[in-house]
Amino acid sequence: MKRTEEMIARYKNPDNDPRGVWLLSDLAARNFYANGRYPITTKTGRIIPGPPAGSYWRVSKDKFDELERDNRICGVNPETTAPE
């Protein structure tokens, strides 16, 4: 499926990441994922005990740690308390 201009317009690079444009998205997903329930410690030291009720993290703990090491986890959405 080819991306539309509207889809492409959502990608930004507000932090001048040398990897180029990126899209902020919620890491919580509603479909069951066997490796999708684990606690996360934010950069400020706050512990998120797991994803929001009725959901799962979109990636495994190993993948999350990899994304975090690569500076691809921006922070925590204050409305949902989910990492983005």
Side-chain angles (χ1 to χ4, degrees), residues 5-80:
E5 289 299 318
E6 184 180 322
M7 294 166 130
I8 292 169
R10 287 186 274 184
Y11 288 77
K12 307 286 184 200
N13 191 359
D15 60 350
N16 295 314
D17 189 318
R19 294 172 287 206
V21 297
W22 50 272
L23 180 66
L24 185 67
S25 64
D26 188 342
L27 284 177
R30 63 183 177 154
N31 295 332
F32 174 76
Y33 176 58
N35 295 323
R37 297 200 59 82
Y38 49 87
I40 291 174
T41 303
T42 68
K43 292 177 182 180
T44 63
R46 185 166 67 97
I47 296 174
I48 300 171
S55 64
Y56 304 86
W57 296 134
R58 195 175 297 273
V59 296
S60 68
K61 176 70 170 138
D62 288 342
K63 181 65 175 177
F64 181 89
D65 291 344
E66 176 187 324
L67 292 169
E68 192 169 44
R69 282 191 303 275
D70 199 27
N71 289 321
R72 293 181 184 261
I73 304 295
C74 293
V76 175
N77 182 322
E79 292 179 17
T80 65

